Amino acid sequence: MKTNDVIMQFTAKIVFFIIFFYAVHIFFAGHYTPGGGFVGGLVTASAIVLLIIAFDLKTVQSILPINYIYLVACGLIISLGTAAFSMFVDKPFFTHFFDYFNLPILGKTSLHTAALFDLGVYLVVVGVTMTIIQTIGEDE
Amino acid sequence: MFQVFCIFIPILAALFMPFFFKKVRSIHTGWFVLIVPVFLVTFYATYVPIIVDGDSVISELDWIPSLGISFVSYLDGLSLLFSILISGIGALVVLYSIFYLNRTKEQLHNFYIYLLMFMSAMLGVVQSDNTITLYLFWELTSISSFLLIGYWYNRDKSRFGALKSMMITVAGGMLMLGGFVLLSIMGDTFSIRELISQAPELATNDLFLVALVLILLGAFTKSAQFPFYIWLPDAMEAPTPVSAYLHSATMVKAGIYLVARFTPIFAQSEVWIWLVAGIGLLTLFWGSFFAVKQTDLKGILAFSTVSQLGLIMSLLGVGAISYHVNGAEDTVFKYAAFAAIFHLINHATFKGSLFMIAGIVDHETGTRDIRKLGGLMGLMPISFTIALIGSFSMAGLPPFNGFLSKEMFFKAILSITQFDLFNFSTWSILFPIIAWIASVFTFIYSFYFVFRTFTGKLKVDQLPKKPHEAPMGMLISPLILAALVITIFFIPNLVADTFVKPAVMAIQPYLYSSPEEVNIHITAWHGIHSPELWMTVGVIILGLLMFLCLSKWQKMYNAFPAKLTLNHLYDFIIYDLCDQWIGRFSALYMTGSIRRYLSFMLSSMAIIVIGTLFIKDGFKISFEEASTIHVYQIILIIVLVIGTITTVFAKSRITSIVALGAVGYTVSLFFVVFNAPDLALTQLVIETISVALFLLAFYHLPKLKKEEERTRFRFSRAFVSVAVGAMVTLVALSAHSQKFIPSIAEYYKETVYSLAGGGNIVNVILVDYRGFDTLFEITVLGIAGMAIYGMIKLRLSRKEKNYENK
């Protein structure tokens, strides 16, 4: 018999976005305040896990049709690419660049290639965590 | 340059032999091989006029110049004599093998490749002036000999004999390499000539004696001296041409060559003289004594080779005495080295022919068992004549060359009694006595060999084949050798002037400046009053008597217990000691239990670290830099300790998991207390995930034997864990108490905004200052994820099992 957890599912839908945006927040704030790609990735993954618990694996897969293994690969490529980029402009491997820009809506903002690197870390962490949980969850 | 290149000619020719074997099927491959040794012997013969004057020729080919290693062909009297023996007997053996080995049934290309490889190696050994290349060729002789002994590799005994000879000679070769290295350390050169020139200084070095013993061990193993001779009788499983070539005339004389070559360096030492002369004499007696026991024709010859090598070795030992006698040119000691070289030539001739005859008998009758043989004289008259010549020469009878060298041997051994240094005055009287007894046995086995095979009653029904005389081609080589045996008796002084005297020059360079000064004249007749003549007469009389009543006392050999032989010792070492005992020893600690390995690892870690702290006096505990402790820290520590104790002593696993989670969350609280918000965040999330995974693993535990029980207490494990805990605590305290280098953290603090454009030092270090680590940590994460995915999704083993069950 299937239990009716409508309250849980309803709450999960709302809480998912709160957690997800919190994750995005600590990801972007990582350079100045505690946080960063690693924690951000873990929190994002936990948001998805919440969905999996409230609904089930197949439903979540149809909502978020992501192959998490590709996500790991993308993350690694982004990180390595950021690190390697500096070599093409005659700088040592892993040199980061940053500067301040006046963006249309956000105003004066610092843009940093380290954030790109952190994005790679974020994607790898989300990918690996979800791969592990999905494979174990699917296992009979 | 061409001279040094000549060493490699056989091995280069070997490259073409498979081609000849595969393409030219109608002609025996041996004919192509024969060109090589014939060319070489003529080539080396052209050097004879140079060498006779006492000169030497050198030719060098750089190999590793920066290390001083080069291929050198150094031809003086000694090496030229060996080179001519190697290529000359090599030619005869190849000729013999053409008729001995069947063109259609045997793997001839293998055989001739190994043989040519051996020929190159042997030429390299005797011509090398560089100890490293000498060692290289030395091992190549071991390897090619191994291949040749195991030529009929589908026979058990061949493989056993090959392995045995390999083990013993390679072990000796390795020790010899050690000796060479020590020599090069002492003399700062690899060149033997340069080492000889600094011989007096070398003798005062502390390493001298070690080098001496190591090099002698190499020589003794190769030349089958006591107690290493045991490989030679087992090597008789090789094809007979190989036995004739390697195990009588050439390879076993490599050790003799080595001893002769290094005599100028080591003769300073009393140990050298005693070892070489003593072991040689012991081998001489031992080999001759046990030769009479053998029933296999080649077995007799193998033991006889061992014995004759011992004779040559003991003569070289006695010859080394001349370094210690003033005016040695006039004394009788100089005979020893001369006799050694002379007997070496003689032995190569008669033993080569005898082996070939043994091969012929085997080939034509199908057996080598002397108990089945007999009465072949009428059927194989030529073989009989050759065997008679060889045996009589081996026994030391006139008019054969063995007589001359045996007389000189007696003379040299008798001379040792006049020597009063190094305790020789008390013990030297034993030398002639043992030598004489050994000669009697030599006489007996020589007669035993020839007369038990060729005279007596013919037992045709016991022979696998119908016996008949060998084809002429097979008889050519032994005939040539037998002719040499007689010729040398009649022209001994021509041989001596051409070959022996230049070789003696190389062994005793300090005594003579030119070969003419070696004023030894060989005469067959020494006069009625010479003691060696009467010794020979005694040998003949007693030998004849004992041979005639051989059947009465030969049984006494069976009285020797089999467990006391050296072969038994070898089997014990190789099969019992190495295979079983060491296997048992490994099984003692390699139990396969991970717990045990872990306790080994942890306890050795604790012992090493605590021991080092004690020895280096590294303990230091000071609380100067310690900060003040707050109440909430103490509370956290109490919680942490309670959690840890619960984890270890909990009865149920689930309690352990939860307690572990509590420990993790407390640690994260610690991070909060110690101002590490990033760590606290990460620790919190990671701890949650890992507890969830632990619970998952717990849920899937098999239902079988799922008993809830407490971890059993073991004192040893408790001790190891307390030791490791103490070690870590001590190291941490000591490390904290003595800080030598200021922290780098100040730099990060100052530059985090100006250089890296960030505010969170932890994160900036992770992605910017030390992003490398992070890059590979996420790679590790990725690998872990893939591994879990692969482990769960791919189940090859189960599928394979299903496949097998079908």
Side-chain angles (χ1 to χ4, degrees), chain B residues 122-332:
Chain B
M122 210 50 220
L123 287 174
V125 165
V126 298
Q127 293 182 13
S128 284
D129 182 53
N130 191 298
T131 47
I132 299 299
T133 45
L134 172 57
Y135 171 72
L136 179 86
F137 287 118
W138 185 275
E139 291 299 25
L140 193 58
T141 61
S142 295
I143 292 165
S144 47
S145 157
F146 167 77
L147 292 169
L148 282 167
I149 297 169
Y151 176 64
W152 287 312
Y153 51 80
N154 38 16
R155 296 184 188 170
D156 262 349
K157 278 182 147 186
S158 292
R159 294 198 303 269
F160 175 76
L163 196 63
K164 194 171 183 179
S165 74
M166 179 87 158
M167 296 294 273
I168 293 175
T169 53
V170 168
M174 297 297 270
L175 295 173
M176 190 187 77
L177 177 66
F180 284 164
V181 170
L182 288 181
L183 266 187
S184 69
I185 291 171
M186 286 187 274
D188 199 28
T189 174
F190 288 125
S191 163
I192 298 171
R193 280 173 306 137
E194 285 171 33
L195 286 169
I196 289 173
S197 66
Q198 28 179 309
E201 298 96 80
L202 292 181
T204 57
N205 200 303
D206 294 336
L207 298 173
F208 183 73
L209 212 59
V210 186
L212 185 156
V213 171
L214 289 177
I215 289 179
L216 262 191
L217 278 172
F220 284 174
T221 48
K222 197 72 149 185
S223 275
Q225 297 295 297
F226 187 87
F228 307 111
Y229 71 87
I230 49 171
W231 65 266
L232 190 62
D234 283 314
M236 290 303 128
E237 291 304 320
T240 304
V242 173
S243 308
Y245 190 37
L246 273 68
H247 306 128
S248 70
T250 53
M251 186 179 88
V252 287
K253 294 201 170 106
I256 303 278
Y257 167 80
L258 199 76
V259 169
R261 180 56 88 197
F262 281 88
T263 294
I265 300 177
F266 290 122
Q268 322 278 338
S269 166
E270 177 194 355
V271 181
W272 174 270
I273 296 170
W274 269 108
L275 274 180
V276 176
I279 296 283
L281 208 66
L282 178 60
T283 316
L284 164 64
F285 172 72
W286 192 277
S288 63
F289 183 67
F290 282 100
V292 189
K293 182 192 177 187
Q294 306 304 313
T295 51
D296 177 29
L297 280 187
K298 280 170 85 177
I300 302 172
L301 292 178
F303 273 94
S304 123
T305 304
V306 169
S307 153
Q308 303 278 328
L309 291 170
L311 188 156
I312 301 172
M313 199 63 98
S314 68
L315 280 174
L316 284 173
V318 175
I321 297 177
S322 62
Y323 282 85
H324 299 274
V325 185
N326 287 328
E329 304 88 67
D330 303 320
T331 61
V332 79

Side-chain angles (χ1 to χ4, degrees), chain B residues 330-366:
Chain B
D330 303 320
T331 61
V332 79
F333 296 111
K334 64 187 178 184
Y335 274 96
F338 188 91
I341 297 299
F342 191 51
H343 191 70
L344 184 125
I345 300 173
N346 295 343
H347 177 250
T349 54
F350 67 69
K351 192 53 67 65
S353 69
L354 284 178
F355 263 110
M356 290 175 186
I357 291 303
I360 287 172
V361 169
D362 184 16
H363 206 263
E364 305 306 333
T365 63

Side-chain angles (χ1 to χ4, degrees), chain B residues 348-394:
Chain B
T349 54
F350 67 69
K351 192 53 67 65
S353 69
L354 284 178
F355 263 110
M356 290 175 186
I357 291 303
I360 287 172
V361 169
D362 184 16
H363 206 263
E364 305 306 333
T365 63
T367 182
R368 298 198 310 250
D369 194 331
I370 205 159
R371 287 166 297 191
K372 294 181 186 166
L373 294 166
L376 294 174
M377 186 165 69
L379 290 168
M380 304 167 79
I382 306 176
S383 309
F384 170 67
T385 316
I386 298 167
L388 200 69
I389 293 169
S391 298
F392 278 18
S393 176
M394 185 156 73

Side-chain angles (χ1 to χ4, degrees), chain B residues 10 68 79 173 176 178 200 210 218 237 328 373 394 422 464 483 563 638-639 643 648 661 675 680 723 746 793:
Chain B
S79 43
M176 190 187 77
V210 186
E237 291 304 320
L373 294 166
M394 185 156 73
F422 306 146
K563 292 218 163 188
I638 291 168
V639 174
V648 176
N675 298 327
E746 286 305 313
K793 295 278 174 187

Side-chain angles (χ1 to χ4, degrees), chain B residues 732-803:
Chain B
L733 281 175
S734 304
H736 185 265
S737 305
Q738 27 198 343
K739 280 188 177 156
F740 300 114
I741 304 163
S743 168
I744 196 176
E746 286 305 313
Y747 170 78
Y748 292 140
K749 253 191 226 171
E750 283 162 17
T751 58
V752 66
Y753 188 78
S754 57
L755 284 181
N760 179 355
I761 295 185
V762 175
N763 208 2
V764 171
I765 289 176
L766 281 180
V767 299
D768 199 342
Y769 291 120
R770 305 187 57 182
F772 247 123
D773 297 356
T774 314
L775 181 62
F776 290 105
E777 272 153 23
I778 58 175
T779 316
V780 167
L781 262 186
I783 291 169
M786 295 304 113
I788 289 172
Y789 182 81
M791 198 173 73
I792 290 175
K793 295 278 174 187
L794 291 170
R795 281 179 180 149
L796 287 175
S797 60
R798 213 174 283 172
K799 270 183 200 163
E800 271 175 1
K801 251 183 202 163
N802 290 341
Y803 179 74

